[in-house]
């Protein structure tokens, strides 16, 4: 127990200290990282905002670049399309049913004998906007986790419509998910209190295995889409990265150092935006996703879930039809 607290303390210091230089990263012997490994391109590691996007913009808008005029024209079209969609967009209603908790039983012979606890947080995707009858994203994700972990999984989900990273963070720690006043210091005791609060009254979820008290084993956070929608307000990828770090720090304090935190990518490819807006949104989404990969690369038990390939999406559409709801943005039950 003391060892886990020491690990948690070290993890907090890593969030609060400035990140190491690229050279220091290459010279480190431990490899670090969460779910994507260490990135080293042979030179200085570039930030998504300060490297890839800046290099792209410099190249495209250099007066000597013969494509500069075309790029400027394309951005003008993107700006006009964005303004038109903001004026004409009609929000979809929430699903008819509220499905924000459940218990997935693993019924195979290789059952691990454990019950895990999962927490799903996010924006309108978690609320199920785009689905007619009931939200399906959280339950589908937890069912996949149950098969992968070979265990029962009790789960809770919380979403906020239009929530960006800051809004979801405030929603979680402001009493809507985790009770206000909960002593969150990263200890095992704090993690037990958080689990007992989240799954109060669910005996199956709070069942302990051995001497280990109940904890949240897995936390999945869907965010980023409503952050880069505020790019015109100065909410850059770098700002998003800092918001992510602050959010994860509070999650670690409440859920403990042993909880695995997963940030899925933003798969914008299936959206029905007109071109060139669609290509621009995909590009910006990847720039913002790079902040999630950096977080996973630099810290333990934080993982980035990459998005499917274009070919995978095509195969899904060929088999199941359209995966996007009427607004052209939110996935439907199939998506």
């Amino acid at each position: 127990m003391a060892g886990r607290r020491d690990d948690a303390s070290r993890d907090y210091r890593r969030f609060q200290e400035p990140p190491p230089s690229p050279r220091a990263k290459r010279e480190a012997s431990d490899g670090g990282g969460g779910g994507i490994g260490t990135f080293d391109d042979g030179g200085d590691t570039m930030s998504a905002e300060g490297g890839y996007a800046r290099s792209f913009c410099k190249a495209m808008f250099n007066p000597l670049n013969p494509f500069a005029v075309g790029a400027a024209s394309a951005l003008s079209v993107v700006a006009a399309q964005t303004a038109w969609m903001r004026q004409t967009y009609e929000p979809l209603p929430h699903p008819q049913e509220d499905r924000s908790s459940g218990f997935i039983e693993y019924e195979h012979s290789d059952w691990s004998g454990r019950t895990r606890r999962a927490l799903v947080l996010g924006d309108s995707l978690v609320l199920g906007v785009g689905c007619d009858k009931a939200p399906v994203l959280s339950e589908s994700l937890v069912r996949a986790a149950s098969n992968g972990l070979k265990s029962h999984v009790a789960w809770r989900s919380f979403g906020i419509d239009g929530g960006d990273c800051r809004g979801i963070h405030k929603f979680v720690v402001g009493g809507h998910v985790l009770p206000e006043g909960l002593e969150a210091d990263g200890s095992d005791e704090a993690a037990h209190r958080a689990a007992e609060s989240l799954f109060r009254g669910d005996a199956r979820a709070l069942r302990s295995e051995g001497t280990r008290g109940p904890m949240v084993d897995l936390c999945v956070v869907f965010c980023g889409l409503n952050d880069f929608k505020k790019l015109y307000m100065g909410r850059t990828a770098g700002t998003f990265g800092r918001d992510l770090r602050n959010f994860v720090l509070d999650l670690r304090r409440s859920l403990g150092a042993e909880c695995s935190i997963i940030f899925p990518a933003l798969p914008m490819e299936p959206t029905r935006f007109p071109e060139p807006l669609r290509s621009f949104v995909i590009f910006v989404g990847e720039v913002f996703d790079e902040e999630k990969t950096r977080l996973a690369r630099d810290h333990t038990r934080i993982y980035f879930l990459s998005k499917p390939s274009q070919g995978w999406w095509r195969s899904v559409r060929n088999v199941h039809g359209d995966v996007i709801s009427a607004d052209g943005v939110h996935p439907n039950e199939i998506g």
Side-chain angles (χ1 to χ4, degrees):
M1 186 177 295
R4 288 196 290 266
R5 284 195 291 268
D6 292 341
D7 290 341
S9 299
R10 284 195 296 271
D11 206 24
Y12 300 153
R13 288 197 295 272
R14 291 183 68 188
F15 276 106
Q16 293 167 335
E17 292 169 357
S21 67
R23 181 176 181 181
K25 284 185 181 180
R26 291 195 297 271
E27 293 175 351
S29 60
D30 60 359
I36 62 169
T38 302
F39 174 79
D40 184 3
D41 62 353
D44 287 344
T45 303
M46 294 186 295
S47 70
E49 180 189 17
Y52 306 127
R54 186 180 303 165
S55 298
F56 176 82
C57 291
K58 277 186 176 181
M60 293 308 296
F61 298 102
N62 187 331
L64 300 179
N65 186 340
F67 300 104
V69 174
S73 300
L75 270 188
S76 299
V77 174
V78 166
Q81 290 175 329
T82 303
W84 177 79
M85 293 195 69
R86 288 176 62 88
Q87 292 177 353
T88 60
Y89 178 75
E90 296 183 6
L92 294 175
H94 289 191
Q96 300 172 17
E97 300 177 12
D98 177 25
R99 190 179 299 167
S100 57
S101 64
F103 190 89
I104 305 296
E105 291 191 10
Y106 186 80
E107 298 178 344
H108 302 283
S109 59
D110 55 348
W111 176 48
S112 68
R114 287 199 56 190
T115 297
R116 313 269 184 162
R117 285 152 289 272
L119 177 62
V120 184
L121 307 171
D123 49 25
S124 54
L125 295 177
V126 176
L127 282 177
V129 173
C131 301
D132 294 327
K133 186 175 180 181
V136 297
L137 176 63
S138 297
E139 184 173 2
S140 299
L141 187 149
V142 172
R143 193 174 298 278
S146 173
N147 289 328
L149 297 170
K150 296 179 173 58
S151 64
H152 303 331
V153 179
W155 62 276
R156 295 291 311 275
S157 69
F158 299 87
I160 176 171
D161 199 358
D164 57 10
C165 186
R166 294 179 186 176
I168 299 169
H169 182 182
K170 184 178 180 181
F171 181 79
V172 169
V173 301
H176 298 282
V177 179
L178 298 171
E180 290 185 291
L182 188 70
E183 295 183 17
D185 56 6
S187 65
D188 288 350
E189 290 77 11
H192 295 327
R193 289 192 295 268
E196 289 168 355
S197 173
L198 286 166
F199 296 96
R200 183 182 296 112
D202 190 339
R204 295 180 300 177
L206 295 176
R207 185 178 61 187
S208 300
E209 290 82 20
T211 59
R212 183 184 185 273
M215 293 182 179
V216 176
D217 301 279
L218 177 67
C219 178
V220 183
V221 183
F222 290 88
C223 64
L225 176 60
N226 293 302
D227 292 85
F228 78 67
K229 283 166 60 175
K230 298 178 180 178
L231 188 61
Y232 72 98
M233 300 170 57
R235 297 283 286 278
T236 63
T239 303
F240 175 61
R242 289 188 290 274
D243 291 343
L244 278 179
R245 292 169 67 89
N246 292 334
F247 189 14
V248 168
L249 181 59
D250 273 345
L251 287 176
R252 280 275 179 254
R253 286 171 173 159
S254 298
L255 304 180
E258 294 188 18
C259 178
S260 295
I261 301 175
I262 298 177
F263 290 100
L266 296 171
M268 304 304 297
E269 285 79 1
T271 56
R272 293 199 298 266
F273 292 125
E275 293 289 0
L277 177 60
R278 177 178 173 273
S279 295
F280 179 77
V281 166
I282 292 173
F283 168 73
V284 175
E286 291 175 350
V287 171
F288 274 65
D289 276 343
E290 179 62 23
E291 297 298 328
K292 301 174 186 176
T293 66
R294 181 177 296 104
L295 203 61
R297 184 170 61 238
D298 292 345
H299 301 282
T300 58
R301 291 190 177 273
I302 297 179
Y303 303 90
F304 172 70
L305 184 61
S306 59
K307 59 185 177 181
S309 65
Q310 288 271 28
W312 187 88
W313 284 114
R314 282 195 296 270
S315 65
V316 168
R317 283 195 296 269
N318 290 337
V319 174
H320 299 286
D322 201 354
V323 297
I324 298 298
S325 59
D327 69 349
V329 179
H330 291 89
N332 55 26
E333 286 88 349
I334 298 173

